[in-house]
Amino acid sequence: MLHSSALPSLGWLQTLSDYAPWQEECRVYISREVGRTTNEISVVKSADGRSRESSRVRSILKKIDRRVHLIYCSDLLAKVACTTLGISLFFQINGILFPVESPPLRVLIVGSMLFYICFAIKPIFEKNRLNRTAGLTDELADLSDEIKTAYWFVRNPMESAWIDLQLRRAAKSLDKLKLEELFPFKISRWFGGVFILGGLGTGLSLIPNETPLFLREMDPETSFSEIENQIADLQSSLEGDVETFLDESDFEGLERLLEDLKGDEILNEELLMELQQAEEILNEEIFGMDALTQELVQLSQEFSESQKLSDFANSLGEMDLTSAAQKLREMSENLANMDPSVLNELEQELQSQEFSESFSAEELLDALDEAGTALAQDQISKAEGSLTEAAEALDAMAQNQSLDEALNEASMSMQALSQEISQRANNSSMTPDGQMESGAAGSASDEVTKSSGGDPGDGSGPAGNSTGTPSEVAELELGEATTLEVQLSLEIIDEQFMEEYPDPQNLFQGASQKQLSDLQFYEIGGLTEYSNASALDVETVFWQYSDLVKNYFLGIRPLRKNDNKN
Amino acid sequence: MITKIDNQIALFRDEFDKVRTEIGKVIVGNEEVIDGTLVSLLSKGHVLLEGIPGVGKTKIVSTVADVLQLKFSRIQFTPDLMPGDVVGSDIMHETDTGEKHLSFQKGPIFTNILLADEINRATPKTQSALLEAMQERSVTVGVTTHQLKPPFFVLATQNPVEMEGTYPLPEAQLDRFFYKLRIKYPESEHMHEIMNRTTTSTEPIARTVLDRDQIVEMRETARNVPIAPSIQDYAIRLTLATNPGNAHTHPLTEKYVRFGASPRGTQALVVGSKVNALVNGRVHVACKDIRSYFLPAFRHRILLNFEGEADRVDPDDILETIMNDILEPQK
């Protein structure tokens, strides 16, 4: 037999015969005309027939594959739409009930579309797609692997009359298939889910949800956005001056606390405890600016009657320490140009003041005193220096004042935040009818309120001075402590064992029977040979003992390669 | 367009159905055994029939012999049976002139269908006398090799229960059998039919419907059936799954099997599937053909290990699990 590839000149024949209705006659006639032998003609016919059947099988399989892919895409679309709507609905319900921020709808839709496109086009790039389609067709049409086999021979052509027959039969079977019945386009059940979920979503969108439902019921004023704002305030207040002032470890602790607040990874109780600890750290660092303020106000009152120092006194009285320092500097610069009469006046004014020794602004007072003394001794340059020193002391005070304010602000932010959180904990522990749960929940809120040190905005004293200790905060834990009851089971001691043991008291104090009964195991596998199965011959071993014999031989056999796997 | 092959296939089916119908006149039920026996015959294989006494093992074989116009011999295997009793021996002859010479006296093995009844009652030496005949289709006595005329078909029977005084067939001997078929105990309705047929004055008789040439032609036809490599791969994967210590080994095999099916087993599986495909009017082998004869082709080729023997594992259970677990291609 000649292979079809050996007859390249007959390629045009095939093309011609494909279009001619009288193809057989035409092919035979032309073959005769060109002087082919009968054998060659049969080869041509066979090769032609094979190629025609192959292309038929392939084209029908492609058609089926397109249909299957469309059905798959439709089903996938329904599934993806259903899942997307489900997720969207979940977030929608969550948004109504709880203060959870849902992702924007467009993100969800775009994500779902990308997912759908990826999975919809994925089968197109799969290898052996038609092979899989052939398998599916076989299965659905109950063709007993006919199409699968045929498709393999289509891809790997072989010269055999049997294969040709197989291809022809497969092509005929494919022709007979009613694709509409076998692979029907039907609306996926998932579309039902899409409609239901869509309807639910639309219905839910009509419900106003400005405030989450459970928050609306519990406390209309409290919202998580407030807490977030307070966290932001606290962060901004901790930045800047405070950073430069605090110890490195304290500042790191505060930064960690901020991270925890942002991450919301810790429980309310732990959060409260941490906030109060942080508040203590800040309070430790706060200067005694209130006492100093009183002293400076007193100083300004003493200087207020002086003509030359009235501006300075006014600035002190207004607690504008920077301005007061500036006034002193200006005075120091002008000292050399002043009339002696004016200098005398100033000297008297400075020296006439009697400063209390308990004043905490010692540097300032000393400098002013020295300036007065220098003026009395006509030492102008020394007086200038003293006034400059006084101005520098005021500058330092001004800096401390700003730091004190920053620390106060941070402390107050923390107080407000801890109040907010304790309020939230209080609300969440309330029963549906508004009653507080019995136990520590109510006292927790009380504790927090007490420990917050009054209204943070009243300005009386350093805020949060009376903050509770961590041990007090620990009392905020809800409910009673868990208890674990353990009962030891009695050990039954053999009578015989008791007899063997002369002193029962020692027996009870000594090791248990279980410990005493432990036996050392010796590996004897290497000493014995693996027994053969005849040891379990039903004729020789009574069936009741066969398991015993089996376990014995399995126990003493040498380890095999696969023993670990089993 | 009906081709010569179409005619061959139609003829094959027709003749197979005829044989089946004729055997069915005598044998009640046991269709699987009858089909398996015929498939084995047409695949150039031999069959080991296993069943308890009285279920019709010998009757099936004698009926198959009746239906086929072939030479039939029967050997009742006993412990004192010698190899010479099976294959034949050289006998001294004296001519009229007084010259003496040895001539070979053919044994009962020189036949087309050989019924080796209760084969496990003979000693291994006598059992082995069949080895060459079954595989090579020839018998060597002394230095002379005698060819057996095709078709040569051994149908051996054995009783699985009565083990006293028997010699279990060695693995090499078992592997020579194409299929091991188990004859089930008949169901109640079949029992009624058996009583009706065999306890009256007229017993049913099967006609001869197939001659030697037809059988040879059918055997050749069956071999031409194409099998797609994916289906062949399925058969190979099933075979490998029965063998411990390879990538395809089934966990149950790893636990209970010492040796699995040989490549000869895969050959039996594929050739038998080709015959089965033709019987079902197909010109290609399907996975269901492979599955149909997986148990008969492999059950006698599975050698259990100690644990398998100890747990009384039935190779059929292992094979069924493997068949269920190994996926068909494109599934």
Side-chain angles (χ1 to χ4, degrees), chain A residues 190-482:
Chain A
W190 288 80
F191 276 120
V194 171
F195 285 117
I196 292 167
L197 290 173
L200 274 173
T202 313
L204 284 173
S205 65
L206 300 174
I207 299 171
N209 58 342
E210 289 158 3
T211 314
L213 200 59
F214 98 107
L215 286 180
R216 209 183 305 158
E217 282 176 2
M218 298 299 174
D219 183 4
E221 289 177 3
T222 311
S223 75
F224 280 77
S225 57
E226 281 176 34
I227 290 178
E228 281 170 11
N229 292 337
Q230 282 163 359
I231 290 170
D233 289 346
L234 180 60
Q235 192 175 14
S236 65
S237 63
L238 284 176
E239 283 166 0
D241 293 339
V242 177
E243 184 181 348
T244 56
F245 185 77
L246 285 178
D247 288 346
E248 197 177 336
S249 60
D250 289 344
F251 188 72
E252 279 174 6
L254 287 174
E255 276 190 329
R256 214 178 306 122
L257 173 65
L258 271 173
E259 289 300 316
D260 289 345
L261 286 168
K262 283 181 199 167
D264 200 19
E265 287 170 356
I266 50 178
L267 297 172
N268 284 345
E269 288 78 12
E270 292 172 27
L271 200 61
L272 283 172
M273 202 184 289
E274 285 198 20
L275 276 170
Q276 284 164 3
Q277 279 173 348
E279 214 176 302
E280 279 178 10
I281 292 169
L282 291 175
N283 288 334
E284 278 171 16
E285 304 297 349
I286 286 172
F287 301 92
M289 280 303 288
D290 293 311
L292 188 67
T293 307
Q294 284 178 358
E295 288 171 9
L296 292 176
V297 168
Q298 190 187 338
L299 192 65
S300 72
Q301 285 169 356
E302 286 179 15
F303 282 123
S304 61
E305 292 171 7
S306 162
Q307 291 177 353
K308 301 295 173 193
L309 294 170
S310 61
D311 292 344
F312 168 68
N314 289 339
S315 298
L316 273 185
E318 291 166 3
M319 288 305 290
D320 188 358
L321 300 181
T322 314
S323 166
Q326 187 61 32
K327 296 280 186 299
L328 282 181
R329 275 199 192 85
E330 284 170 7
M331 195 182 291
S332 163
E333 284 165 8
N334 298 328
L335 215 55
N337 304 327
M338 283 182 186
D339 291 337
S341 58
V342 177
L343 285 174
N344 278 337
E345 226 175 282
L346 186 60
E347 174 209 330
Q348 282 168 7
E349 282 172 2
L350 282 172
Q351 284 194 332
S352 65
Q353 305 307 325
E354 287 182 3
F355 301 117
S356 165
E357 285 183 359
S358 63
F359 264 35
S360 50
E362 279 179 28
E363 281 183 22
L364 173 67
L365 298 177
D366 287 349
L368 289 173
D369 194 35
E370 277 176 22
T373 311
L375 285 173
Q377 293 168 0
D378 290 335
Q379 294 174 339
I380 303 296
S381 58
K382 194 180 176 184
E384 282 174 358
S386 297
L387 284 174
T388 310
E389 276 175 24
E392 281 169 4
L394 278 170
D395 281 340
M397 278 181 216
Q399 198 177 352
N400 283 349
Q401 189 188 28
S402 66
L403 274 171
D404 195 77
E405 280 169 5
L407 285 170
N408 254 328
E409 196 182 333
S411 174
M412 279 157 60
S413 298
M414 281 189 183
Q415 270 186 15
L417 188 58
S418 62
Q419 269 187 340
E420 200 71 64
I421 289 165
S422 68
Q423 180 72 26
R424 194 178 64 175
N426 193 18
N427 285 342
S428 63
S429 66
M430 285 180 87
T431 52
D433 56 4
Q435 296 290 320
M436 293 289 280
E437 277 181 14
S438 62
S443 61
S445 122
D446 292 343
E447 281 292 330
V448 173
T449 316
K450 279 179 207 165
S451 64
S452 63
D455 183 5
D458 63 6
S460 60
N465 278 346
S466 60
T467 310
T469 60
S471 62
E472 286 172 45
V473 179
E475 287 172 17
L476 293 172
E477 294 288 341
L478 305 180
E480 291 179 3
T482 309

Side-chain angles (χ1 to χ4, degrees), chain A residues 42-334:
Chain A
S42 71
V43 171
V44 173
K45 283 166 77 175
S46 164
D48 183 37
R50 189 183 309 135
S51 118
R52 197 170 54 240
E53 303 300 353
S54 298
S55 58
R56 251 171 80 197
V57 168
R58 197 188 285 271
S59 68
I60 296 173
L61 276 179
K62 277 184 180 171
K63 196 174 162 187
I64 292 173
D65 184 60
R66 278 197 295 273
R67 198 175 175 89
V68 169
H69 190 237
L70 267 176
I71 294 167
Y72 163 76
C73 285
S74 151
D75 193 51
L76 182 69
L77 179 69
K79 282 177 185 169
V80 170
C82 200
T83 312
T84 310
L85 280 173
I87 294 169
S88 162
L89 200 67
F90 171 77
F91 282 121
Q92 213 173 342
I93 292 169
N94 245 7
I96 292 169
L97 295 176
F98 307 103
V100 178
E101 200 172 323
S102 58
L105 192 63
R106 64 173 178 277
V107 172
L108 208 60
I109 290 170
V110 169
S112 304
M113 278 173 70
L114 284 174
F115 178 85
Y116 172 71
I117 290 166
C118 284
F119 277 84
I121 62 169
K122 191 182 155 219
I124 298 170
F125 300 105
E126 274 178 14
K127 279 184 179 178
N128 295 332
R129 250 181 97 196
L130 291 184
N131 201 19
R132 201 189 54 211
T133 308
L136 185 69
T137 312
D138 277 333
E139 200 177 331
L140 291 176
D142 198 18
L143 289 175
S144 305
D145 302 321
E146 187 177 18
I147 312 302
K148 203 157 52 183
T149 305
Y151 183 64
W152 196 89
F153 289 122
V154 166
R155 284 188 301 154
N156 305 276
M158 287 181 202
E159 200 158 307
S160 159
W162 282 80
I163 291 172
D164 292 347
L165 178 64
Q166 207 277 328
L167 281 172
R168 195 161 60 244
R169 285 190 172 197
K172 203 181 278 182
S173 299
L174 281 171
D175 277 339
K176 281 182 193 168
L177 288 181
K178 290 178 179 172
L179 299 186
E180 293 78 19
E181 287 175 14
L182 207 60
F183 305 99
F185 279 119
K186 55 183 178 186
I187 295 171
S188 171
R189 284 181 198 167
W190 288 80
F191 276 120
V194 171
F195 285 117
I196 292 167
L197 290 173
L200 274 173
T202 313
L204 284 173
S205 65
L206 300 174
I207 299 171
N209 58 342
E210 289 158 3
T211 314
L213 200 59
F214 98 107
L215 286 180
R216 209 183 305 158
E217 282 176 2
M218 298 299 174
D219 183 4
E221 289 177 3
T222 311
S223 75
F224 280 77
S225 57
E226 281 176 34
I227 290 178
E228 281 170 11
N229 292 337
Q230 282 163 359
I231 290 170
D233 289 346
L234 180 60
Q235 192 175 14
S236 65
S237 63
L238 284 176
E239 283 166 0
D241 293 339
V242 177
E243 184 181 348
T244 56
F245 185 77
L246 285 178
D247 288 346
E248 197 177 336
S249 60
D250 289 344
F251 188 72
E252 279 174 6
L254 287 174
E255 276 190 329
R256 214 178 306 122
L257 173 65
L258 271 173
E259 289 300 316
D260 289 345
L261 286 168
K262 283 181 199 167
D264 200 19
E265 287 170 356
I266 50 178
L267 297 172
N268 284 345
E269 288 78 12
E270 292 172 27
L271 200 61
L272 283 172
M273 202 184 289
E274 285 198 20
L275 276 170
Q276 284 164 3
Q277 279 173 348
E279 214 176 302
E280 279 178 10
I281 292 169
L282 291 175
N283 288 334
E284 278 171 16
E285 304 297 349
I286 286 172
F287 301 92
M289 280 303 288
D290 293 311
L292 188 67
T293 307
Q294 284 178 358
E295 288 171 9
L296 292 176
V297 168
Q298 190 187 338
L299 192 65
S300 72
Q301 285 169 356
E302 286 179 15
F303 282 123
S304 61
E305 292 171 7
S306 162
Q307 291 177 353
K308 301 295 173 193
L309 294 170
S310 61
D311 292 344
F312 168 68
N314 289 339
S315 298
L316 273 185
E318 291 166 3
M319 288 305 290
D320 188 358
L321 300 181
T322 314
S323 166
Q326 187 61 32
K327 296 280 186 299
L328 282 181
R329 275 199 192 85
E330 284 170 7
M331 195 182 291
S332 163
E333 284 165 8
N334 298 328

Side-chain angles (χ1 to χ4, degrees), chain B residues 48-64:
Chain B
L48 177 63
L49 289 174
E50 192 177 78
I52 56 171
V55 288
K57 296 188 291 291
T58 313
K59 187 71 179 170
I60 289 173
V61 179
S62 61
T63 311
V64 169

Side-chain angles (χ1 to χ4, degrees), chain B residues 170-187:
Chain B
E171 281 74 40
Q173 179 78 49
L174 279 172
D175 202 38
R176 296 290 195 279
F177 286 102
F178 197 78
Y179 288 159
K180 180 182 178 181
L181 301 166
R182 282 182 173 162
I183 302 179
K184 289 175 195 163
Y185 197 85
E187 290 165 13

Side-chain angles (χ1 to χ4, degrees), chain A residues 131-132 135-136 139 142-149 152-153 160-163 165-166 168-169 172 530-533 535-539 541 543 546-547 549-550 553-554 557 560 562 565-566, chain B residues 1-3 5-6 8-9 161 163-164 221-222 224-231 244-245 251 254-255 278 281-288 304-307 309-312 328-331:
Chain A
N131 201 19
R132 201 189 54 211
L136 185 69
E139 200 177 331
D142 198 18
L143 289 175
S144 305
D145 302 321
E146 187 177 18
I147 312 302
K148 203 157 52 183
T149 305
W152 196 89
F153 289 122
S160 159
W162 282 80
I163 291 172
L165 178 64
Q166 207 277 328
R168 195 161 60 244
R169 285 190 172 197
K172 203 181 278 182
Y530 178 44
S531 174
N532 59 26
L536 281 164
D537 191 350
V538 284
E539 300 293 322
V541 180
W543 66 271
S546 63
D547 274 348
V549 176
K550 175 199 158 189
F553 282 113
L554 284 176
R557 70 172 179 188
R560 288 181 306 183
N562 297 321
K565 285 182 197 170
N566 297 329
Chain B
M1 186 174 67
I2 294 169
T3 61
I5 299 170
D6 283 314
Q8 275 182 325
I9 294 164
V161 179
M163 303 301 283
E164 197 69 46
T221 304
N224 287 324
V225 175
I227 177 168
S230 58
I231 311 287
E254 204 70 79
K255 191 177 179 189
L278 279 182
R282 282 185 269 110
V283 283
H284 66 276
V285 177
C287 286
K288 70 177 179 186
L304 297 176
N305 62 13
F306 174 75
E307 214 170 336
E309 293 280 354
D311 286 348
R312 310 268 192 275
E328 290 179 14
Q330 269 83 53
K331 271 206 171 174

